[in-house]
Amino acid sequence: GNDSAAPAHNLLVIDIHCHVLPFVDDGAEDWEDSLAMVRAAANDGIRQCVATPHWTGREGEADEFRAKLTELQ
C-alpha cells in the first residue's frame, strides 16, 4: 500500500457547479433551501462550491447575484 496517500476525509472537495443562490434559477427556492444545500454539501465533505446561477444578461443581474452570494456567505 501507499502509506503517504491522504485519507479521503482530508481531501479538498470543490463543487464547481452549484445552483445555491435562492430565487434565481432551478436551484434553491429560498434562503432555507440555500442553507440546507450548503450544510448538506459540507456534510458530504465539500469544502468550497462555485455558485453558477443561470445567466441571462439582464441589467443588474450581476449585482443581484453578488448581493445574494454575500448574504449567503
Side-chain angles (χ1 to χ4, degrees):
N2 184 353
D3 293 338
S4 64
H9 66 275
N10 285 336
L11 293 177
L12 173 62
V13 179
I14 301 171
D15 181 347
I16 61 169
H17 185 99
C18 187
H19 292 263
V20 70
L21 299 180
F23 314 111
V24 174
D25 47 32
D26 57 350
E29 292 184 11
D30 55 32
W31 287 108
E32 289 182 19
D33 276 355
S34 290
L35 291 173
M37 290 172 70
V38 296
R39 288 179 180 134
N43 287 337
D44 287 344
I46 296 170
R47 296 296 169 246
Q48 295 180 7
C49 72
V50 178
T52 54
H54 294 172
W55 181 262
T56 66
R58 177 179 45 82
E59 187 173 334
E61 189 173 48
D63 291 334
E64 174 189 337
F65 292 165
R66 278 191 286 272
K68 289 179 187 296
L69 182 59
T70 298
E71 186 168 347
L72 183 60
Q73 290 173 328

